[in-house]
Amino acid sequence: MEKYFMGVKSDLYSNFDFEIVDEFLDHYSMMVEAMEIMILDLSKPNMYAQSINELFRVFHNIKSASGYLKIAQMNKLSAFVEDVLEQIRANHSSINEETTNWLLSISDMFGVWKNDLKLDKELTHIKYSLLKLPDLENN
């Protein structure tokens, strides 16, 4: 006999109002879709300031929503990335290739979670390599 498993989306629907969950899923999907473009725009001097601020806002919004919805993994990673972005915003006027690649890997992880949510699976575990900060000083 197959054991019934409740995925993240089912769990959210059983614990929160449908409208709140649907709104989160829609916004999360849009934010994940936009991440890569914002990250790549960081390498364009004329787009840097706008992109770093937008990216910070995206991770702040994901952190807030995932905290409210008690999606611990997503909340912890988005808080971690938000802190790194705050440090970059405060101390740098550009980012290096290592930081760009790290942010693209972060974006990929959130994309995997987007798919996990869509397929109503458990969230894939965070890749430990994402928890190693890039060298922010080496521009």
Side-chain angles (χ1 to χ4, degrees), residues 29-39 55 58:
S29 183
M30 286 187 294
M31 289 186 284
V32 170
E33 294 299 318
M35 268 182 208
E36 189 174 324
I37 294 159
M38 287 180 219
I39 293 165
L55 205 53
V58 161

Side-chain angles (χ1 to χ4, degrees), residues 38-101:
M38 287 180 219
I39 293 165
L40 294 173
D41 279 351
L42 291 171
S43 65
K44 301 173 185 166
N46 62 325
M47 294 294 291
Y48 177 80
Q50 179 184 340
S51 296
I52 194 80
N53 290 330
E54 285 178 6
L55 205 53
F56 178 86
R57 203 166 25 258
V58 161
F59 283 99
H60 179 77
N61 289 341
I62 292 172
K63 178 188 81 172
S64 299
S66 61
Y68 177 79
L69 295 171
K70 297 175 177 49
I71 309 171
Q73 244 176 264
M74 186 181 290
N75 181 256
K76 286 177 182 164
L77 187 59
S78 53
F80 179 67
V81 176
E82 182 187 38
D83 290 345
V84 173
L85 290 171
E86 182 58 40
Q87 191 179 339
I88 292 170
R89 272 198 327 184
N91 302 318
H92 304 281
S93 56
S94 65
I95 62 169
N96 59 31
E97 187 178 349
E98 182 184 353
T99 305
T100 300
N101 290 336

Side-chain angles (χ1 to χ4, degrees), residues 5-13 24-25 28-29 32-33 71 73-74 77 107-127:
F5 172 77
M6 187 159 36
V8 183
K9 189 162 65 169
S10 296
D11 190 49
L12 290 172
Y13 280 128
F24 166 74
L25 294 172
Y28 180 76
S29 183
V32 170
E33 294 299 318
I71 309 171
Q73 244 176 264
M74 186 181 290
L77 187 59
S107 172
D108 290 345
M109 186 78 245
F110 281 88
V112 167
W113 287 342
K114 180 181 134 190
N115 198 46
D116 291 345
L117 285 163
K118 183 178 159 194
L119 298 174
D120 198 18
K121 295 168 45 180
E122 243 185 295
L123 288 190
T124 301
H125 289 291
I126 296 170
K127 295 177 190 142

